[in-house]
Amino acid sequence: MGAGSPTKKKKMRKWNFTAGPSTLPEGVLRVAQAAIWDVGLGAGILEVSHRSAYFDGLMHELEEKFRRLGGISDAYDVLFLQGGATLQFSQIPYALTRPGDHIDCLHTGFWTRHAMRDAARYTSVHYAYDGSKDGFDHIPEAGEIAYSEGARYVHYCANNSFLGTEWAHPPRAQAPLVADMSSNLFSRLLDVDAHSLIFASAQKNLGMAGCCVVIVRRDFLEANLGPNLGSMFDYRRLAEARSMLNTPPTFALFVMKEVLVWIESRGGLAGVGAENRVKAAIVREAIDATGGFFCHIGRADSRSQVTVCFRSPSAALDEAFAAEAEALDMIGLRGHRETGGLRASLFNALPREACLALAEHILDFACRMG
Ligand code: PMP
């Protein structure tokens, strides 16, 4: 069926493949709409005090659901912070390293580069793996990694949303493992215990922008937390205050709690993980079926389950594909500003139907232009 075919009915809401902020479950949006007006107190969620019994209850429910879904034990604190994943690029090395320390980094692209640019202001960085020589086309195998002696921690990015590569399992390391899971936390089963600290912005799989989750082992904090930290940098004080040292992003926390209810209704992380695998296969198989017209970016063994990056033979055709997709009610398919090409983010709330529509457009476009 060609672009703009008259048999395609206009949708009220478009299929949204954007990399974040990204699509949310429709049921969550409807609950949030109603909550803006009134949460049952004669006042809406945007107007309720974070010191109220109502909000205290919401935070308890949020943390309890988060821990249960993620399989997160009492050995960890779960924090709901502001400043995005980008603040963690500074807060982690600032709060958890001392003068003379160094950290290891597994450098797999744009987001590890940004993280290390900030980390290098506070500590020295050793690249235990540097993927730049291969254009960041894959996730390293154990033999490609050379850890240093005595690193305070190892930083890696679990899903490289700029290029569509994802670690299938956490890397093995002697030093404590710190993971940026901004684009895949809660999109699949989670191995918390392999990590000392995990952080993730909410606006991909967990809700809306404005909240960053930090899951951190208490003994890792106790061993490493520096003295005399400003209160908002001090993970222990943030944990003691249950993430409410100051006014938290109340609406973002409300939305996250509703997204967790939705994830639970889909069978938890095993359920959304299985569905995300099916969604990715639908899109990737369509790319493969174009006989080389569209190519995946990134090596087959490293491909992400939630970020599908691909390209056609030219930038002009990529642009034509994205423009036609918009006419078919599919938005957000242009690639990362640094890499170009095309990118489909298939986060939790994107329905399978959207992937089927995209697969159909991929096959149709390749047939007409190939
Ligand atoms: N890390 C990764 C892997 C990301 O995908 C992003 C956002 N796209 C960030 C960090 C930055 O997140 P934020 O804008 O919330 O600081």
Side-chain angles (χ1 to χ4, degrees), residues 205-333:
N205 291 295
L206 286 165
M208 56 174 270
C211 177
C212 178
V213 182
V214 175
I215 305 164
V216 58
R217 272 194 79 92
R218 257 178 235 125
D219 56 6
F220 178 63
L221 283 187
E222 264 140 43
N224 297 298
L225 203 64
N228 299 325
L229 295 170
S231 52
M232 291 301 279
F233 295 113
D234 185 333
Y235 292 106
R236 191 183 298 122
R237 289 195 60 190
L238 288 161
E240 281 161 7
R242 293 181 41 246
S243 308
M244 292 192 282
L245 261 183
N246 72 332
T247 314
T250 49
F251 189 48
L253 294 165
F254 175 89
V255 170
M256 191 186 294
K257 194 264 287 175
E258 291 302 322
V259 169
L260 298 187
V261 171
W262 178 83
I263 290 177
E264 215 164 11
S265 76
R266 311 276 297 183
L269 301 194
V272 293
E275 180 62 14
N276 287 338
R277 263 196 304 287
V278 172
K279 282 156 50 183
I282 290 169
V283 178
R284 291 201 182 279
E285 280 166 20
I287 293 168
D288 287 335
T290 64
F293 178 85
F294 284 114
C295 296
H296 293 285
I297 301 173
R299 226 167 65 180
D301 61 1
S302 304
R303 286 179 194 153
S304 165
Q305 198 171 284
V306 282
T307 312
V308 177
C309 294
F310 59 110
R311 55 170 104 247
S312 70
S314 73
L317 283 167
D318 288 341
E319 179 50 37
F321 177 86
E324 282 193 12
E326 275 169 13
L328 294 167
D329 295 331
M330 289 178 265
I331 58 172
L333 286 162

Side-chain angles (χ1 to χ4, degrees), residues 178-233:
V178 169
D180 175 358
M181 292 199 188
S182 290
S183 49
N184 67 351
L185 185 67
F186 278 26
S187 71
R188 57 193 295 163
L189 283 171
L190 173 66
D191 182 356
V192 185
D193 295 332
H195 298 89
S196 289
L197 191 151
I198 295 168
F199 64 100
S201 293
Q203 66 268 17
K204 290 145 195 301
N205 291 295
L206 286 165
M208 56 174 270
C211 177
C212 178
V213 182
V214 175
I215 305 164
V216 58
R217 272 194 79 92
R218 257 178 235 125
D219 56 6
F220 178 63
L221 283 187
E222 264 140 43
N224 297 298
L225 203 64
N228 299 325
L229 295 170
S231 52
M232 291 301 279
F233 295 113

Side-chain angles (χ1 to χ4, degrees), residues 19 83-87 89 111 157 159-161 180 182-183 201 203-204:
T86 304
L87 182 59
F89 294 169
W111 290 110
C157 178
N159 185 66
N160 297 285
S161 45
D180 175 358
S182 290
S183 49
S201 293
Q203 66 268 17
K204 290 145 195 301

Side-chain angles (χ1 to χ4, degrees), residues 72-85:
I72 302 165
S73 76
D74 279 348
Y76 291 82
D77 283 319
V78 177
L79 306 172
F80 302 96
L81 307 181
Q82 300 181 61

